[in-house]
Amino acid sequence: PAGSMAFAAPLLPLLLLLLLGRPGLGAPGQGAGTWSRFARLPYPQDQLFLHDTFPDGFLWGAGSAAYQTEGGWSQGGKGASVWDTFAHRPATPPGAAPPGPVGGDVASDSYNNLFRDVEGLRRLGVSHYRFSLSWARLLPNGTAPPNPAGLAHYGRLLARLRELGVEPVVTLYHWDLPQALQDAFGGWASPVLPQLFRDYAELCFRHFGGQVRYWLTMDNPYVVAWHGYGTGRLPPGVRGGPRLGYLAAHHLLQAHAKVWHLYNDHFRPAQRGKVSIALSSHWIKPQHMTEKNIKECQKSLDFVLGWFAKPIFIDGDYPESMRRNLSSLLPEFSEAEKKYIKGTADFFALSFGATLSFQLLDSHMKFQQLESISLRQLLYWINSEYNNPQIFIVENSWFVSGTTKRDDAKYIYYLKKFIMETLKAIRYDGVNVFGYTVWSLLDGFEWHRGYSIRRGLFYVDFQSHDKKLVPKSSVLFYQKLIEKNGFPPLPENQPIEGVFPCGFAWGIVDNYIQVETTPAQFLDSSVYVWDVHQTKKLIKVDGVYTSKRKRHCVDFAAIRLQISLLQEMHVTHFHFSLKWSLILPLGNLSLINHTLVHYYQCFASELLRVNITPVVALWQPMIENQELPVSLAKYGAWENPETVQAFVEYARFCFTSLGDRVKFWITMNEPSVKNLTYTAGHNLLKAHAKVWHLYDKEFRRSQKGKISIALQADWVEPACPFSRNDQEVADRILAFDIGWLAEPIFGNGDYPEVMRAWLHRINSVDLYNFHLPYFSEDEKKLIQGSFDFFALSHYTTTLVGSEKEDAVKYDHYLEVQMINDITWLHSPSRAAVVPWGLRKLLKWVKSKYGNVPVYVMANGIDDDHNMVHDKLRVYYIQNYINEALKAYTLDNVNLQGYFVYSFNDKTAPKYGLYSYVANQYEPKPSLKHYREIIDNNGFPGPETPELLCPEEVASCLDCHFFRTRKSLLAFVSFIFVAFIVTIFFITYYSRRVERRYK
């Protein structure tokens, strides 16, 4: 049935696992199957948002790093770290003022605000907190003796976490190597460092191990080795080239293994904790799905993540691809070292997000493939490549601009994407993820990006003295997510069963019907002679003509084809627009295109003949001259008041010529407010109102039709649902995009107060000069109520925010930031597929304008001539109509019709239900799906009561048949009478002859 797709969604995880299987035991190279697997997943079902929860006991947390947040760089006996030294280098010309805070000297000042940070954790409701110990704070010189003040500081933090029941996840080394060790030994370039790191770890295990269950030896050794000792981009800034970078990594791996064995041999029996290493990775996808490109992707991951993961999780040695490509650059492990390093992790600690992705990954390590941010695919790859380990995501998020304060919508939607992908990895792919950590708890110093970006859940004003934590919108998002343990199904997310009312209008849209007015050959009045001897062609006889007959509808072959295609859909209504510029080329009645008018008459008649109601728009703006007659477009278009009267005369002509066939009129279809000046909009409204009153007074009684305006109405949603500022922005956009034309007609006869107030504000503050005209009282009365129904075109939903984040998508005039929810489905043209936006829009129309009859006059999505993407249209039609059904059934919206956009690809490329290739129309699968919904009048289920609709009394279709074929009727009548008369005379004279012979 038509509703099966939506109702089958809860079974998807099980079906996916049955079809594709859970990953088995991993081995090096098995991750290469990841790309082909994800290319085979069912579209678009696999990309839909998954409403489900995480496993019971799943760990939710937040994290921070000492150098990023602690500050107090010289307080409490702390020694200098390589980051302190790196940040204190002169970065500005002598005498110039520094651009802001210096490095992490103060940062978020967590050293002096320990309880402030813990209060933030309490508010979030997290189960764990990941933080790092400052090696230079505990051992100022990098080696003994320890610093009592440092030990006391972390002791207080752990004690407070224990009081709150928050599990500490402690990183021993997060990039802030004591400067003394760099100076004395050359840092990680020295083979001495692994033993010194072991000594430091032992101090930490002895003092804090009783309170810590999860230890991370170090964070992201790739960045430390490659950019600290290879490229020199990060501290200690050594530009030693690849050889020194690989050597530093060698020592980092040895150091990690020493610490793991130390804990395993001496502390695990008593403390019963777990130890791992936080490894960071990007994700990469092939330029093309070829075996060669997939191998290059595999190599890219080997060179970044596998560099450290394979020695630890597989066999103690580097990936084979590194060995083959780097030869002597890569250090060798002895067999004993391999055994020592292998297996030195109790779980797989993964860091994924803004620190490495698209930032610190060297371009040559992409091997000419495409970087991506698919956490789900990376999790699956790790699962396949490293023997199905338990995975703990210990760092993940994105970032927002450094100027963003409270409403961090971009951050929220990236967070939502990553958490959703984690959930799908667990539920769909069978990956064993047991915890997730948002990065970070609070804003801090963002390494090479400084203070130009923010990644915290809590906002910190770095210029303030007290450094208060101010919760951002992401705090509320994450807090609610933790409470619900994911995204549990909600009633409003579930499809419903039911049907639409009797007489519901099921329609299809074609902006402009295909017009072919080439006359048939038998309309040619010329006389021809067939040259049978030489040319074998017809030769026209000059000066000789036969009498012409009148045109008939059968002369237009294009009409028959279009009507037959429409019949295949089972639609009840067909919506198209007339071409004002072609009907009246001069803009007045001095020149009329009678052939085109006759074509439209015939088209409407043929629609009625097959029981399809024509829905006709008088004017629809197009790119060229706004689809106005050239004379009007040249002299100001809608800016010119004379266009108003010209439109009224044009409408009168159309009502007179087509009104006996058309009972459903649209004055103006989708006038684009984006391209309207306020003066043009003012005149457009007056033109609509005058035409409505013209029809009401002079034509309605005889023609018995209805008429209104059709507005484009995409929904606008506040990007941060908890933000009053974002809600104000959304209301402002709705006022300007829909209310501008809707409020005068359907509301109080005047423009929305929000518009007037905003324009007054920007005109006075920003010295703009945008004048919104005023209606006279008579004009208000003229415009108010000039409708019979509310017709709207709806295609997508947009998120809007108040915080400026992306200059390219920021509207300075309305002070609105466009935001993208990257968890939404998107069409090839990047239009968001958001079915619930239609329901919200319909509810909004009802709340604003009462129980007005509503028609969804156009609703559709594009494709890319690929049948895979027509599956998206099937999903789109199914779910948008279901949301319309919710609006009708649950919200009591007076919804009376729904139209799909569009009829075919010839007139609306990529949007049609019919494709058009090589002069042939072919139905797409979405057409069949829409037809099934029409035949069912919605989504009936077993419990849906049967809808008994009285048979519609056709408006005397037979009468209409004869009315539109008077000439044919007269001819048939003449033949019939002649036949009767002939029979009479034959009979009469036959009898006379018989009598004569007798």
Side-chain angles (χ1 to χ4, degrees):
S4 62
M5 178 178 294
F7 297 118
L11 299 175
L12 186 59
L14 177 60
L15 292 174
L16 285 175
L17 290 172
L18 287 174
L19 288 170
L20 298 170
R22 288 182 180 270
L25 294 179
Q30 284 199 9
T34 301
W35 292 276
S36 59
R37 177 189 187 270
F38 280 87
R40 298 196 312 271
L41 292 178
Y43 177 86
Q45 290 82 354
D46 180 67
Q47 294 185 21
L48 299 179
F49 195 85
L50 174 59
H51 292 280
D52 201 350
T53 56
F54 284 80
D56 292 341
F58 192 81
L59 301 178
W60 295 103
S64 68
Y67 185 75
Q68 290 185 280
T69 59
E70 272 189 4
W73 78 283
S74 60
Q75 283 182 261
K78 176 184 173 293
S81 73
V82 291
W83 267 97
D84 292 320
T85 305
F86 195 78
H88 292 162
R89 297 181 309 174
T92 55
V102 176
D105 287 5
V106 180
S108 320
D109 203 21
S110 290
Y111 182 73
N112 297 304
N113 292 279
L114 184 150
F115 291 102
R116 174 205 67 180
D117 294 359
V118 176
E119 176 59 23
L121 294 167
R122 186 197 63 77
R123 178 167 183 166
L124 285 170
V126 295
S127 56
H128 70 271
Y129 176 45
R130 180 192 170 193
F131 64 94
S132 72
L133 306 174
S134 171
W135 189 346
R137 190 176 296 284
L138 291 171
L139 297 172
N141 295 315
T143 58
N147 175 17
L151 292 170
H153 170 75
Y154 294 117
R156 286 193 300 272
L157 174 57
L158 289 167
R160 183 63 181 140
L161 291 175
R162 186 171 64 249
E163 289 174 12
L164 291 179
V166 175
E167 187 85 54
V169 178
V170 180
T171 308
L172 293 170
Y173 168 60
H174 201 129
W175 305 6
D176 49 352
L177 182 73
Q179 183 63 42
L181 298 183
Q182 182 65 32
D183 293 340
F185 304 104
W188 291 107
S190 169
V192 174
L193 259 289
Q195 182 59 42
L196 297 178
F197 185 58
R198 180 196 180 282
D199 296 341
Y200 160 59
E202 185 173 3
L203 171 73
C204 297
F205 293 155
R206 290 194 186 280
H207 279 84
F208 310 126
Q211 302 172 71
V212 178
R213 280 203 308 155
Y214 294 101
W215 289 98
L216 299 173
T217 57
M218 58 186 67
D219 182 87
N220 202 343
Y222 165 86
V223 169
V224 176
W226 192 252
H227 291 302
Y229 295 87
T231 68
R233 286 182 62 188
L234 298 180
V238 178
R239 297 180 181 178
R243 185 178 299 278
L244 192 62
Y246 290 123
L247 181 62
H250 203 70
H251 296 151
L252 285 162
L253 278 166
Q254 291 171 331
H256 158 76
K258 278 182 177 290
V259 171
W260 187 89
H261 282 286
L262 168 70
Y263 189 85
N264 192 60
D265 296 343
H266 301 286
F267 294 95
R268 192 190 300 276
Q271 297 178 1
R272 298 182 180 178
K274 295 183 178 182
V275 179
S276 190
I277 180 173
L279 299 180
S280 186
S281 185
H282 62 307
W283 180 248
I284 198 90
K285 62 182 182 181
Q287 290 260 18
H288 304 286
M289 282 297 292
T290 64
E291 184 177 348
K292 178 183 176 182
N293 283 359
I294 289 174
K295 285 181 178 179
E296 295 299 285
C297 288
Q298 181 79 3
K299 190 191 300 180
S300 176
L301 292 173
D302 280 346
F303 269 64
V304 178
L305 179 57
W307 185 3
F308 301 92
K310 182 174 174 287
I312 293 170
F313 289 91
I314 299 296
D315 60 5
D317 201 2
Y318 297 116
E320 185 59 33
S321 60
M322 292 184 76
R323 284 261 172 241
R324 283 197 309 269
N325 283 269
L326 298 175
S327 62
S328 61
L329 283 177
L330 203 60
E332 295 278 351
F333 288 119
S334 67
E335 290 303 316
E337 286 177 322
K338 291 177 184 178
K339 291 178 182 177
Y340 192 70
I341 292 171
K342 177 183 174 182
T344 54
D346 300 322
F347 54 91
F348 198 112
L350 176 65
S351 169
F352 182 78
T355 302
L356 182 60
S357 297
F358 297 96
Q359 293 292 323
L360 292 173
L361 179 67
D362 271 15
S363 59
H364 75 272
M365 289 192 178
K366 300 176 189 177
F367 294 97
Q368 299 181 338
Q369 305 307 308
L370 303 173
E371 198 171 354
S372 173
I373 53 169
S374 177
L375 175 56
R376 177 184 172 191
Q377 293 187 49
L378 175 61
L379 289 169
Y380 185 87
W381 186 88
I382 291 169
N383 195 78
S384 303
E385 191 80 5
Y386 300 121
N387 206 12
N388 193 22
Q390 284 190 311
I391 300 175
F392 192 174
I393 298 172
V394 294
E395 176 185 344
N396 178 238
S397 76
W398 207 242
F399 60 88
V400 292
S401 165
T403 60
T404 300
K405 294 183 179 178
R406 297 288 299 276
D407 296 327
D408 54 343
K410 174 184 170 183
Y411 186 92
I412 288 175
Y413 291 109
Y414 272 92
L415 211 58
K416 181 181 174 186
K417 169 188 168 64
F418 291 136
I419 294 172
M420 168 55 52
E421 291 194 347
T422 303
L423 180 60
K424 286 184 176 180
I426 294 170
R427 297 301 187 195
Y428 289 0
D429 308 328
V431 180
N432 187 0
V433 184
F434 68 91
Y436 180 89
T437 312
V438 166
W439 201 268
S440 64
L441 174 64
L442 67 166
D443 290 335
F445 174 74
E446 289 300 332
W447 308 117
H448 62 295
R449 303 290 295 274
Y451 295 98
S452 65
I453 64 170
R454 292 175 181 269
R455 296 183 68 195
L457 295 168
F458 287 90
Y459 172 79
V460 176
D461 181 355
F462 298 113
Q463 306 295 339
S464 67
H465 176 70
D466 55 7
K467 304 287 191 298
K468 287 184 179 177
L469 292 193
V470 180
K472 301 180 191 178
S473 294
S474 53
V475 165
L476 296 171
F477 168 79
Y478 194 47
Q479 184 184 55
K480 290 182 178 295
L481 187 142
I482 292 171
E483 286 176 3
K484 298 175 181 178
N485 197 33
F487 310 98
L490 299 173
E492 58 265 32
N493 299 328
Q494 305 304 307
I496 66 167
E497 296 177 341
V499 294
F500 289 92
C502 294
F504 191 77
W506 292 104
I508 191 74
V509 186
D510 202 357
N511 288 338
Y512 296 102
I513 58 174
Q514 178 187 346
V515 176
E516 292 183 9
T517 57
T518 304
Q521 62 182 17
F522 47 80
L523 286 179
D524 189 351
S525 59
S526 300
V527 175
Y528 296 84
V529 174
W530 187 11
D531 183 1
V532 296
H533 298 293
Q534 296 181 9
T535 64
K536 310 293 185 182
K537 294 180 180 179
L538 293 173
I539 300 173
K540 185 177 179 179
V541 180
D542 294 333
V544 181
Y545 301 97
T546 62
S547 58
K548 274 190 175 181
R549 69 165 177 79
K550 292 182 179 179
R551 290 185 174 89
H552 298 303
C553 291
V554 293
D555 297 335
F556 302 120
I559 293 179
R560 294 195 299 272
L561 173 60
Q562 292 179 78
I563 297 297
S564 66
L565 295 175
L566 289 169
Q567 284 182 282
E568 283 295 309
M569 292 185 177
H570 298 184
V571 293
T572 62
H573 290 64
F574 179 56
H575 173 30
F576 63 94
S577 299
L578 304 177
K579 286 203 170 188
W580 183 5
S581 64
L582 297 182
I583 293 175
L584 302 180
L586 300 181
N588 55 48
L589 298 178
S590 64
L591 179 62
I592 301 170
N593 187 338
H594 290 288
T595 302
L596 180 59
V597 172
H598 181 58
Y599 187 93
Y600 285 134
Q601 290 171 336
C602 290
F603 198 96
S605 298
E606 290 301 307
L607 286 172
L608 291 171
R609 186 178 62 81
V610 296
N611 254 353
I612 297 176
T613 300
V615 181
V616 180
L618 294 170
W619 174 72
Q620 176 167 338
M622 299 297 282
I623 295 175
E624 186 176 356
N625 293 326
Q626 301 181 51
E627 192 42 53
L628 295 172
V630 175
S631 58
L632 297 176
K634 187 186 298 184
Y635 293 103
W638 288 108
E639 297 268 341
N640 187 345
E642 293 183 6
T643 304
V644 175
Q645 191 55 40
F647 185 64
V648 174
E649 293 307 311
Y650 162 63
R652 184 191 300 276
F653 173 77
C654 292
F655 295 153
T656 303
S657 303
L658 298 168
D660 61 332
R661 300 166 175 82
V662 178
K663 312 300 180 186
F664 199 141
W665 288 99
I666 301 294
T667 57
M668 300 161 175
N669 191 55
E670 297 184 24
S672 174
V673 296
K674 304 293 185 187
N675 300 319
L676 276 182
T677 65
Y678 293 125
T679 300
H682 202 69
N683 288 333
L684 191 145
L685 282 165
K686 289 191 284 187
H688 155 77
K690 287 185 176 185
V691 167
W692 187 89
H693 283 284
L694 169 69
Y695 189 84
D696 191 54
K697 292 175 182 176
E698 299 184 23
F699 295 93
R700 190 188 298 275
R701 180 174 296 179
S702 61
Q703 296 182 359
K704 296 180 173 55
K706 53 189 175 183
I707 184 169
S708 195
I709 189 171
L711 304 177
Q712 181 158 344
D714 287 336
W715 181 241
V716 179
E717 185 78 1
C720 293
F722 320 106
S723 166
R724 182 179 299 176
N725 292 337
D726 284 10
Q727 183 61 60
E728 289 178 0
V729 170
D731 292 341
R732 187 185 313 145
I733 299 302
L734 288 171
F736 274 82
D737 283 3
I738 305 175
W740 178 5
L741 300 181
E743 191 65 27
I745 298 171
F746 301 93
N748 61 10
D750 201 358
Y751 296 115
E753 184 56 37
V754 172
M755 278 187 77
R756 288 210 183 275
W758 181 256
L759 291 174
H760 176 75
R761 173 187 174 280
I762 65 172
N763 285 339
S764 60
V765 175
D766 299 325
L767 302 178
Y768 285 110
N769 187 24
F770 294 110
H771 174 63
L772 189 62
Y774 286 87
F775 293 114
S776 68
E777 290 304 315
D778 288 342
E779 286 173 335
K780 288 182 182 178
K781 291 177 183 177
L782 177 79
I783 296 170
Q784 185 180 18
S786 57
F787 68 90
D788 295 334
F789 51 88
F790 195 116
L792 59 90
S793 299
H794 175 83
Y795 302 98
T796 188
T797 291
T798 303
L799 294 172
V800 295
S802 56
E803 297 265 10
K804 184 177 180 180
E805 180 66 38
D806 180 355
V808 176
K809 297 181 179 179
Y810 187 77
D811 185 332
H812 292 271
Y813 174 52
L814 294 177
E815 295 182 9
V816 55
Q817 177 70 62
M818 303 300 174
I819 300 290
N820 181 31
D821 184 341
I822 53 179
T823 66
W824 287 349
L825 282 173
H826 288 83
S827 73
S829 69
R830 302 306 298 162
V833 179
V834 193
W836 52 259
L838 175 58
R839 181 183 177 189
K840 286 200 171 189
L841 172 66
L842 294 172
K843 289 172 67 177
W844 181 84
V845 170
K846 181 180 180 181
S847 69
K848 292 282 288 184
Y849 305 119
N851 196 36
V852 58
V854 179
Y855 289 85
V856 177
M857 200 56 70
N859 180 236
I861 196 75
D862 62 289
D863 59 34
D864 63 355
H865 303 298
N866 184 333
M867 280 303 166
V868 170
H869 287 96
D870 192 61
K871 293 179 181 178
L872 179 62
R873 183 179 288 108
V874 170
Y875 171 83
Y876 183 99
I877 291 172
Q878 167 88 15
N879 287 277
Y880 272 84
I881 295 177
N882 198 264
E883 291 296 321
L885 180 63
K886 292 177 187 177
Y888 167 72
T889 304
L890 305 177
D891 308 325
N892 297 313
V893 173
N894 187 7
L895 184 62
Q896 298 197 1
Y898 171 89
F899 292 65
V900 166
Y901 182 84
S902 169
F903 180 21
N904 63 73
D905 283 345
K906 182 176 183 181
T907 51
K910 301 183 180 182
Y911 281 86
L913 298 193
Y914 282 100
S915 63
Y916 184 75
V917 180
N919 297 322
Q920 295 291 322
Y921 293 94
E922 292 294 335
K924 300 178 184 178
S926 50
L927 185 150
K928 179 182 179 183
H929 194 72
Y930 183 42
R931 185 171 61 202
E932 289 177 1
I933 295 174
I934 293 173
D935 292 344
N936 290 322
N937 199 31
F939 308 94
E943 306 300 320
T944 304
E946 185 178 359
L947 187 66
L948 298 175
C949 296
E951 286 191 20
E952 294 185 16
V953 179
S955 57
C956 192
L957 286 176
D958 292 337
C959 300
H960 184 81
F961 176 87
F962 289 115
R963 186 171 66 248
T964 56
R965 292 164 173 79
K966 292 178 182 177
S967 299
L968 177 64
L969 180 62
F971 177 74
V972 171
S973 300
F974 170 78
I975 295 297
F976 180 76
V977 171
F979 175 78
I980 295 298
V981 170
T982 301
I983 294 297
F984 171 78
F985 278 110
I986 291 173
T987 304
Y988 174 77
Y989 282 105
S990 296
R991 288 178 178 176
R992 288 190 63 177
V993 168
E994 287 176 4
R995 282 198 298 268
R996 182 180 301 169
Y997 281 107
K998 287 179 180 180

